Amino acid sequence: MTAIDPNLRTTKTTCPYCGVGCGVLATPDGSGGAAIAGDPEHPANFGRLCSKGSALGETLGLGERLLHPMLRDDAGGMRQVSWDAALDHTADQFRAIIKQHGPDSVAFYLSGQLLTEDYYVANKLMKGFIGSANVDTNSRLCMASSVAGHKRAFGADTVPGCYEDLDEADLLVLVGSNAAWCHPVLYQRMLANKQKRGARIVIIDPRRTDTVADDDLFLGLKPGTDTALFSGLLAYLADNQALDRAYIDAHTSGFDEALARAKNIAGSVAATALATGLAESDVAAFFHLFRKMPRVVTLYSQGVNQSAQGTDKVNAILNCHLATGRIGKVGMGPFSLTGQPNAMGGREVGGLANQLAAHMGFTPPEIDRVRRFWKAPDIATHEGLKAVQMFEAIARGEIKALWVIGTNPAVSLPDADAARAAMRKLELFVVSENVASNDTMNAGAHVVLPAHAWGEKSGTVTNSERRMSRQRSFLKPAGEAKPDWWILSEVAKRLGFGAGFAYTSAADIFREHASLSAFENNGSRDFDIGGLAKVSDDGFDTMAPVLWPIREGTTQPQPRFFADGGFYAKDRRARFIAVEMPALRSDISVARPLRLNTGRVRDQWHTMTRTGLSPRLGQHLPEPFVEIHPYDAAQAGVIDGGHAKLATDYGSCILKVVVSERQQRGMLFAPIHWNDETASFARVGALVAPFVDPFSGQPENKATPVSITPHAFAQRGFVLSRKPLALPEQALWTRVAVTSGVGYLISDNADLATWRTWLQPLLGDDVAEFEDESRGVFRAASFVDERIETCLFIGPVADGLDWDAVRALFAEGALSDEARRMLLSGKSADGHASAGPIVCACFGVGRTTICDAIAAGAGTAAEIGAKLRAGTNCGSCIPELKRLIAGAETTVPDEQKRLAVAN
Ligand code: SF4
């Protein structure tokens, strides 16, 4: 976090990462960067930012940006072209393919990182004018099951509550959500409620994450059994006089069938315990809390959504809230935590293949309504292909042209190697991006188009609570980068649809989007922002964060839905859903005896194209890893800090091993972030089975059968360089952002001569070397103007190397003679111990520093905070501080700890 200079012009904008949607104050520094602070007036965060948001200023450089339109030439290389040439080529190729193969032979794959206005134009072009609904988005991988669950129960994709409910609830139930890491600012809000009002927190997750505090009730259920738990809860509520019969009778239908099915799945506390693998006492304690405390908010995220039965899991939760009438009232309700910054905005415009626009679907009256509003010549009349189906259709050759906008499906889709191979078959493959290289572009893109990045973009995003906020530009666009809505509109014009795409600003598009939301609505649809349809350009510029709906003529905001019914099915009733018996799609076997759960780490976002640029964020968990229970580790013969090969029926990876009691027996956990740009052999998406939920199409990212075997390396070390390098092919490497350059953590089995040969061309005239052949140690550094230009440290795995100390010397300018002498010892030049791996990313406080403070008497997280500031900003590291105080394990593998300790 950087202090804001009051003399510089500050822009209010919105964080581009998670669905919390925090307000950000950005003050440009005049040389391409900006000071960043939380916006104290934004109702989502009231000034707080998490480690990722705080580090936004470190991610604004041009080093990795795509600056110009590029076309693939006949020889297979990419060449810079004018915008006109790139747009003409794109439009000509789309036109030719549509003419020959029809509109369903083309597709757009969009992103929850796009602004609502970008999404709107993409959706309108494909569904209204090209005539296909093959528009899907990475939000399919994020919250599609919540959308499907909402629509089944409420008749619309409505989030009934708002963030204030988290302040007012007496019981907060988190299901499949590591909110401490993935929605940190909201999690701090829940903790504040716990502290001030004594709210209880229940965490339901197969994995004991940092969201679990000692005084919370943790239910570490078996994977895939959430539906059984909430079926058991529904049965318990019915058997213990906890139903709201008046609400059920007045506002719902289908209760008896849903209850009968729930009783069949888990009709008692004992049956629930058996089905979920939980202790009966824990199940009973949860059920008792839920029954006793009327103000309950149940929050759910990817652990619920990313499942082949995700929609049923959502509906099992919604059933319990509907049955108790705990919905739409202060401090009560189900709450879907959206992963992405604008997944909600995408849903508003119809960015998913099974939506049309403005919360309308593909019924004949809705198709006709949207057609008339858009004056659309050729509107799609049926749903398109959802993400996984879309890439399967590409693999079969049925989709021949694809435009990927602002996302990296070659990394994030399940069975990601197959998805990447499919893209190579496309006749036309267009990518709009703001980075110069990623796994998707490198899968054979024919056209790459430079798009505005955060800081340049201007438009709106909607967060998890339906709050629309402005993302505002505060930097000049990089190179020739353009807004996504402009790029799409230019292609639309070239396809002959100019009249429908004559936008001159994001405000133009927003007004049209708002008008459509109100068009022939009359209260029949939840999404209505007609009150903003006539907003002026100035009004759009200054628009304050606001919750929808904002109906024309209304003056009072409507923070909640459904307290008094008023659902969006034709009969205005909610539906209870009789959910299916929980079952995972694939069985474990002798060959694949464990299940792979995937997720995120605290300080990285998606495929690291932005967070991967921040040296601070790279220090908490710098390497791709797999977490495994000690029992399974012993069975597999893998050790903490060693490496292991993971293999599924779809792909394989080599990852660092973290042995942890926090991991459930029988399950592995691996983060999704690393890819071919940031690590070798660490594409975790390639391991994930492409099984999808039948209603939402969302893939099962949490339970793929997997095997794990040891993968030994004889040497380890690191490289630091002022510019990116191509490492030897055989080496296992992870790229880590460091101050003024790039670092690589390496493991290898090649002999030292291989590394010597690799390094030779990189060395200049001023070189220092150290070699101990008997121990297999080689260290070398080259200098330019007394500053390290490149250095390599490699030696036996058992050797300790102070990566932190050398990194600190690398970040310095010209080195003193003494510092140069000390460098090759791999120790800090000033003789001080290094700070160790970063625990508090906000203030850059390392593990060793924290342990020293604990040894000196700091006995609580607050005392550490008072002494070192650690944990006093976003609070995400407080659970880790507490574990360090307790002398317990951390997520940092032993070898990584050793890397930080001078030998
Ligand atoms: S919680 Fe963090 S990542 Fe999410 S919006 Fe806020 S600052 Fe950004």
Side-chain angles (χ1 to χ4, degrees), residues 368-384:
D368 184 57
R369 185 179 302 127
V370 178
R371 180 188 61 75
R372 286 184 283 114
F373 181 88
W374 277 345
K375 300 182 180 54
D378 199 9
I379 196 162
T381 53
H382 57 84
E383 294 183 3

PDB file of all heavy atoms in Angstrom, residues 368-384:
ATOM      1  N   ASP A 368     -38.236 -12.300 -29.011  1.00  0.00           N
ATOM      2  CA  ASP A 368     -38.887 -11.258 -29.813  1.00  0.00           C
ATOM      3  C   ASP A 368     -38.663  -9.871 -29.207  1.00  0.00           C
ATOM      4  O   ASP A 368     -38.431  -8.904 -29.927  1.00  0.00           O
ATOM      5  CB  ASP A 368     -40.390 -11.564 -29.899  1.00  0.00           C
ATOM      6  CG  ASP A 368     -41.086 -10.561 -30.794  1.00  0.00           C
ATOM      7  OD1 ASP A 368     -40.668 -10.439 -31.967  1.00  0.00           O
ATOM      8  OD2 ASP A 368     -42.000  -9.861 -30.311  1.00  0.00           O
ATOM      9  N   ARG A 369     -38.702  -9.796 -27.874  1.00  0.00           N
ATOM     10  CA  ARG A 369     -38.526  -8.499 -27.207  1.00  0.00           C
ATOM     11  C   ARG A 369     -37.120  -7.952 -27.461  1.00  0.00           C
ATOM     12  O   ARG A 369     -36.934  -6.794 -27.820  1.00  0.00           O
ATOM     13  CB  ARG A 369     -38.760  -8.666 -25.704  1.00  0.00           C
ATOM     14  CG  ARG A 369     -38.706  -7.352 -24.938  1.00  0.00           C
ATOM     15  CD  ARG A 369     -38.980  -7.562 -23.454  1.00  0.00           C
ATOM     16  NE  ARG A 369     -40.260  -8.174 -23.223  1.00  0.00           N
ATOM     17  CZ  ARG A 369     -40.448  -9.281 -22.490  1.00  0.00           C
ATOM     18  NH1 ARG A 369     -39.436  -9.886 -21.925  1.00  0.00           N
ATOM     19  NH2 ARG A 369     -41.655  -9.772 -22.335  1.00  0.00           N
ATOM     20  N   VAL A 370     -36.138  -8.803 -27.306  1.00  0.00           N
ATOM     21  CA  VAL A 370     -34.753  -8.340 -27.490  1.00  0.00           C
ATOM     22  C   VAL A 370     -34.519  -8.012 -28.970  1.00  0.00           C
ATOM     23  O   VAL A 370     -33.863  -7.021 -29.313  1.00  0.00           O
ATOM     24  CB  VAL A 370     -33.748  -9.391 -26.973  1.00  0.00           C
ATOM     25  CG1 VAL A 370     -32.318  -8.922 -27.219  1.00  0.00           C
ATOM     26  CG2 VAL A 370     -33.965  -9.668 -25.489  1.00  0.00           C
ATOM     27  N   ARG A 371     -35.089  -8.811 -29.853  1.00  0.00           N
ATOM     28  CA  ARG A 371     -34.936  -8.563 -31.304  1.00  0.00           C
ATOM     29  C   ARG A 371     -35.455  -7.178 -31.664  1.00  0.00           C
ATOM     30  O   ARG A 371     -34.807  -6.410 -32.364  1.00  0.00           O
ATOM     31  CB  ARG A 371     -35.712  -9.644 -32.080  1.00  0.00           C
ATOM     32  CG  ARG A 371     -35.631  -9.499 -33.595  1.00  0.00           C
ATOM     33  CD  ARG A 371     -36.561 -10.475 -34.322  1.00  0.00           C
ATOM     34  NE  ARG A 371     -37.964 -10.265 -33.981  1.00  0.00           N
ATOM     35  CZ  ARG A 371     -38.702  -9.261 -34.436  1.00  0.00           C
ATOM     36  NH1 ARG A 371     -38.188  -8.382 -35.280  1.00  0.00           N
ATOM     37  NH2 ARG A 371     -39.963  -9.132 -34.065  1.00  0.00           N
ATOM     38  N   ARG A 372     -36.636  -6.854 -31.121  1.00  0.00           N
ATOM     39  CA  ARG A 372     -37.211  -5.540 -31.445  1.00  0.00           C
ATOM     40  C   ARG A 372     -36.369  -4.414 -30.848  1.00  0.00           C
ATOM     41  O   ARG A 372     -36.125  -3.403 -31.492  1.00  0.00           O
ATOM     42  CB  ARG A 372     -38.653  -5.473 -30.931  1.00  0.00           C
ATOM     43  CG  ARG A 372     -39.624  -6.296 -31.792  1.00  0.00           C
ATOM     44  CD  ARG A 372     -41.066  -6.134 -31.313  1.00  0.00           C
ATOM     45  NE  ARG A 372     -41.341  -6.909 -30.114  1.00  0.00           N
ATOM     46  CZ  ARG A 372     -41.632  -6.394 -28.916  1.00  0.00           C
ATOM     47  NH1 ARG A 372     -41.667  -5.087 -28.747  1.00  0.00           N
ATOM     48  NH2 ARG A 372     -41.894  -7.168 -27.875  1.00  0.00           N
ATOM     49  N   PHE A 373     -35.912  -4.622 -29.624  1.00  0.00           N
ATOM     50  CA  PHE A 373     -35.137  -3.554 -28.986  1.00  0.00           C
ATOM     51  C   PHE A 373     -33.843  -3.310 -29.750  1.00  0.00           C
ATOM     52  O   PHE A 373     -33.450  -2.165 -29.986  1.00  0.00           O
ATOM     53  CB  PHE A 373     -34.844  -3.921 -27.526  1.00  0.00           C
ATOM     54  CG  PHE A 373     -34.069  -2.853 -26.802  1.00  0.00           C
ATOM     55  CD1 PHE A 373     -34.726  -1.804 -26.167  1.00  0.00           C
ATOM     56  CD2 PHE A 373     -32.685  -2.869 -26.782  1.00  0.00           C
ATOM     57  CE1 PHE A 373     -34.016  -0.801 -25.523  1.00  0.00           C
ATOM     58  CE2 PHE A 373     -31.965  -1.863 -26.145  1.00  0.00           C
ATOM     59  CZ  PHE A 373     -32.627  -0.828 -25.512  1.00  0.00           C
ATOM     60  N   TRP A 374     -33.184  -4.398 -30.123  1.00  0.00           N
ATOM     61  CA  TRP A 374     -31.883  -4.254 -30.806  1.00  0.00           C
ATOM     62  C   TRP A 374     -32.035  -3.933 -32.301  1.00  0.00           C
ATOM     63  O   TRP A 374     -31.064  -3.641 -32.974  1.00  0.00           O
ATOM     64  CB  TRP A 374     -31.077  -5.546 -30.676  1.00  0.00           C
ATOM     65  CG  TRP A 374     -30.313  -5.693 -29.378  1.00  0.00           C
ATOM     66  CD1 TRP A 374     -30.031  -4.715 -28.471  1.00  0.00           C
ATOM     67  CD2 TRP A 374     -29.726  -6.908 -28.875  1.00  0.00           C
ATOM     68  NE1 TRP A 374     -29.306  -5.249 -27.430  1.00  0.00           N
ATOM     69  CE2 TRP A 374     -29.088  -6.592 -27.652  1.00  0.00           C
ATOM     70  CE3 TRP A 374     -29.665  -8.225 -29.327  1.00  0.00           C
ATOM     71  CZ2 TRP A 374     -28.412  -7.540 -26.883  1.00  0.00           C
ATOM     72  CZ3 TRP A 374     -28.997  -9.184 -28.566  1.00  0.00           C
ATOM     73  CH2 TRP A 374     -28.372  -8.830 -27.365  1.00  0.00           C
ATOM     74  N   LYS A 375     -33.277  -4.093 -32.805  1.00  0.00           N
ATOM     75  CA  LYS A 375     -33.483  -4.065 -34.259  1.00  0.00           C
ATOM     76  C   LYS A 375     -32.523  -5.072 -34.901  1.00  0.00           C
ATOM     77  O   LYS A 375     -31.793  -4.766 -35.860  1.00  0.00           O
ATOM     78  CB  LYS A 375     -33.268  -2.654 -34.835  1.00  0.00           C
ATOM     79  CG  LYS A 375     -34.218  -1.617 -34.242  1.00  0.00           C
ATOM     80  CD  LYS A 375     -34.007  -0.253 -34.862  1.00  0.00           C
ATOM     81  CE  LYS A 375     -34.926   0.814 -34.313  1.00  0.00           C
ATOM     82  NZ  LYS A 375     -34.931   0.970 -32.856  1.00  0.00           N
ATOM     83  N   ALA A 376     -32.547  -6.238 -34.312  1.00  0.00           N
ATOM     84  CA  ALA A 376     -31.563  -7.264 -34.687  1.00  0.00           C
ATOM     85  C   ALA A 376     -32.044  -8.037 -35.902  1.00  0.00           C
ATOM     86  O   ALA A 376     -33.162  -8.545 -35.905  1.00  0.00           O
ATOM     87  CB  ALA A 376     -31.339  -8.215 -33.522  1.00  0.00           C
ATOM     88  N   PRO A 377     -31.226  -8.128 -36.922  1.00  0.00           N
ATOM     89  CA  PRO A 377     -31.675  -8.764 -38.164  1.00  0.00           C
ATOM     90  C   PRO A 377     -31.740 -10.290 -38.060  1.00  0.00           C
ATOM     91  O   PRO A 377     -32.499 -10.933 -38.758  1.00  0.00           O
ATOM     92  CB  PRO A 377     -30.607  -8.344 -39.178  1.00  0.00           C
ATOM     93  CG  PRO A 377     -29.374  -8.122 -38.360  1.00  0.00           C
ATOM     94  CD  PRO A 377     -29.858  -7.615 -37.030  1.00  0.00           C
ATOM     95  N   ASP A 378     -30.957 -10.847 -37.173  1.00  0.00           N
ATOM     96  CA  ASP A 378     -30.758 -12.300 -37.250  1.00  0.00           C
ATOM     97  C   ASP A 378     -30.510 -12.851 -35.852  1.00  0.00           C
ATOM     98  O   ASP A 378     -29.495 -13.478 -35.590  1.00  0.00           O
ATOM     99  CB  ASP A 378     -29.528 -12.552 -38.154  1.00  0.00           C
ATOM    100  CG  ASP A 378     -29.516 -13.963 -38.673  1.00  0.00           C
ATOM    101  OD1 ASP A 378     -30.517 -14.666 -38.470  1.00  0.00           O
ATOM    102  OD2 ASP A 378     -28.493 -14.356 -39.268  1.00  0.00           O
ATOM    103  N   ILE A 379     -31.442 -12.619 -34.953  1.00  0.00           N
ATOM    104  CA  ILE A 379     -31.179 -12.954 -33.554  1.00  0.00           C
ATOM    105  C   ILE A 379     -31.124 -14.470 -33.323  1.00  0.00           C
ATOM    106  O   ILE A 379     -31.853 -15.232 -33.994  1.00  0.00           O
ATOM    107  CB  ILE A 379     -32.240 -12.294 -32.635  1.00  0.00           C
ATOM    108  CG1 ILE A 379     -31.762 -12.305 -31.177  1.00  0.00           C
ATOM    109  CG2 ILE A 379     -33.601 -12.972 -32.764  1.00  0.00           C
ATOM    110  CD1 ILE A 379     -32.511 -11.315 -30.308  1.00  0.00           C
ATOM    111  N   ALA A 380     -30.246 -14.891 -32.424  1.00  0.00           N
ATOM    112  CA  ALA A 380     -30.140 -16.323 -32.084  1.00  0.00           C
ATOM    113  C   ALA A 380     -31.453 -16.777 -31.462  1.00  0.00           C
ATOM    114  O   ALA A 380     -32.069 -16.049 -30.686  1.00  0.00           O
ATOM    115  CB  ALA A 380     -28.990 -16.537 -31.109  1.00  0.00           C
ATOM    116  N   THR A 381     -31.855 -17.967 -31.785  1.00  0.00           N
ATOM    117  CA  THR A 381     -33.151 -18.451 -31.290  1.00  0.00           C
ATOM    118  C   THR A 381     -33.010 -19.649 -30.358  1.00  0.00           C
ATOM    119  O   THR A 381     -34.003 -20.214 -29.930  1.00  0.00           O
ATOM    120  CB  THR A 381     -34.063 -18.840 -32.473  1.00  0.00           C
ATOM    121  OG1 THR A 381     -33.339 -19.761 -33.296  1.00  0.00           O
ATOM    122  CG2 THR A 381     -34.448 -17.615 -33.286  1.00  0.00           C
ATOM    123  N   HIS A 382     -31.789 -20.050 -30.108  1.00  0.00           N
ATOM    124  CA  HIS A 382     -31.595 -21.156 -29.151  1.00  0.00           C
ATOM    125  C   HIS A 382     -30.292 -20.932 -28.408  1.00  0.00           C
ATOM    126  O   HIS A 382     -29.437 -20.154 -28.845  1.00  0.00           O
ATOM    127  CB  HIS A 382     -31.580 -22.511 -29.862  1.00  0.00           C
ATOM    128  CG  HIS A 382     -30.530 -22.610 -30.942  1.00  0.00           C
ATOM    129  ND1 HIS A 382     -29.221 -22.939 -30.683  1.00  0.00           N
ATOM    130  CD2 HIS A 382     -30.597 -22.389 -32.272  1.00  0.00           C
ATOM    131  CE1 HIS A 382     -28.530 -22.928 -31.805  1.00  0.00           C
ATOM    132  NE2 HIS A 382     -29.336 -22.596 -32.796  1.00  0.00           N
ATOM    133  N   GLU A 383     -30.153 -21.627 -27.285  1.00  0.00           N
ATOM    134  CA  GLU A 383     -28.950 -21.471 -26.471  1.00  0.00           C
ATOM    135  C   GLU A 383     -27.709 -21.892 -27.247  1.00  0.00           C
ATOM    136  O   GLU A 383     -27.775 -22.740 -28.137  1.00  0.00           O
ATOM    137  CB  GLU A 383     -29.055 -22.328 -25.201  1.00  0.00           C
ATOM    138  CG  GLU A 383     -30.164 -21.849 -24.275  1.00  0.00           C
ATOM    139  CD  GLU A 383     -30.224 -22.652 -22.983  1.00  0.00           C
ATOM    140  OE1 GLU A 383     -29.374 -23.547 -22.785  1.00  0.00           O
ATOM    141  OE2 GLU A 383     -31.131 -22.378 -22.176  1.00  0.00           O
ATOM    142  N   GLY A 384     -26.587 -21.319 -26.870  1.00  0.00           N
ATOM    143  CA  GLY A 384     -25.320 -21.694 -27.498  1.00  0.00           C
ATOM    144  C   GLY A 384     -24.575 -22.728 -26.663  1.00  0.00           C
ATOM    145  O   GLY A 384     -25.119 -23.292 -25.709  1.00  0.00           O
TER     146      GLY A 384
END
